Amino acid sequence: MSTSRSSKMTGLLNHRLRLTLADTRTMSGQMLAFDKHMNLVLSDCEEFRTIKAKSNAESKQIKRSLGLVILRGECVVSISVDGPPPAQQRARQVAGPGVARPAGRGMPVQPPGMPPVGLAGPVRGMGGPAASMMMPGAPAIAAGPVSFARPHGMPMPGAPQGFRPPMPPPGFRPPMPPPGMGPPGMGPPGFPPQPPAGFQPPYPRPPHGPPS
């Protein structure tokens, strides 16, 4: 498509056009878009077909509403303007004195140079490192190792001084293990007993045989 033809078609956007096709049909609709192959997109399209009756010489025109239609450019024979764009389309084409501003979906718009909401770091009071620690080159802050084991003889946290856990009542016996399980410290039946705590196996001695 040449530049002049493209500029003419651009000026016909949103106009109501009447097109004649190669099979003698006529299409009337509002042109929404076109391409370099003259393929057209029409909205509110109507088709007019002329049929000649066999009995009498009078012809009959049949009208059919198609809606949104895409026409191949190779089928179009002629194009003529059938009407101007709708009033709403003409109002949109006229620029007003308004100012364009970004609008979010219920979220405040940050000033220029500030990160969007949700990308500036963790929310205050919801945990996470401080903003100063996230800056490049910030000194690393590392805490010492923390031991979670309570030393032997140390009372439980919150217990009064001299507190000792209560002893089981007289005659108390621990519950018996389920069938097939041995007592505490013993394996299931058929397995050798477990060694006591702190047991270390001796190192194997080299065999003393006769010199070869």
Side-chain angles (χ1 to χ4, degrees):
M1 181 189 300
S2 61
T3 306
S4 60
R5 182 182 299 180
S6 177
S7 60
K8 290 181 180 179
M9 294 299 297
T10 304
L12 296 178
L13 285 175
N14 299 322
H15 283 67
R16 190 157 189 90
L17 305 181
R18 181 172 294 269
L19 301 91
T20 303
L21 305 185
D23 56 357
T24 69
R25 286 184 300 166
T26 304
M27 296 287 186
S28 177
Q30 181 183 1
M31 186 178 68
L32 301 181
F34 68 96
D35 61 2
K36 62 180 181 179
H37 302 291
M38 289 299 293
N39 299 322
L40 305 177
V41 180
L42 303 179
S43 66
D44 301 331
C45 185
E46 297 176 346
E47 178 193 62
F48 299 92
R49 185 190 299 266
T50 303
I51 299 178
K52 294 183 179 181
K54 295 182 179 179
S55 58
N56 39 2
E58 295 182 359
S59 60
K60 181 180 179 181
Q61 190 176 49
I62 299 176
K63 175 183 175 182
R64 185 174 61 162
S65 297
L66 302 179
L68 186 65
V69 174
I70 300 178
L71 288 177
R72 294 180 61 89
E74 60 184 11
C75 300
V76 179
V77 177
S78 64
I79 300 176
S80 60
V81 179
D82 201 12
Q88 297 180 355
Q89 295 290 342
R90 291 198 300 267
R92 292 179 184 176
Q93 294 176 358
V94 178
V99 178
R101 292 181 180 178
R105 297 184 178 179
M107 301 179 65
V109 179
Q110 295 293 335
M114 298 293 294
V117 178
L119 300 179
V123 182
R124 183 177 181 85
M126 296 299 293
S132 59
M133 299 176 60
M134 300 297 293
M135 298 297 293
I141 301 177
V146 179
S147 177
F148 296 95
R150 187 169 68 251
H152 180 71
M154 183 177 180
M156 298 177 60
Q161 187 176 4
F163 171 78
R164 293 184 179 180
M167 300 296 295
F172 173 78
R173 292 183 179 180
M176 298 297 294
M181 297 293 295
M186 301 293 292
F191 285 79
Q194 298 181 1
F199 173 78
Q200 296 183 358
Y203 292 101
R205 297 180 179 180
H208 297 280
S212 57

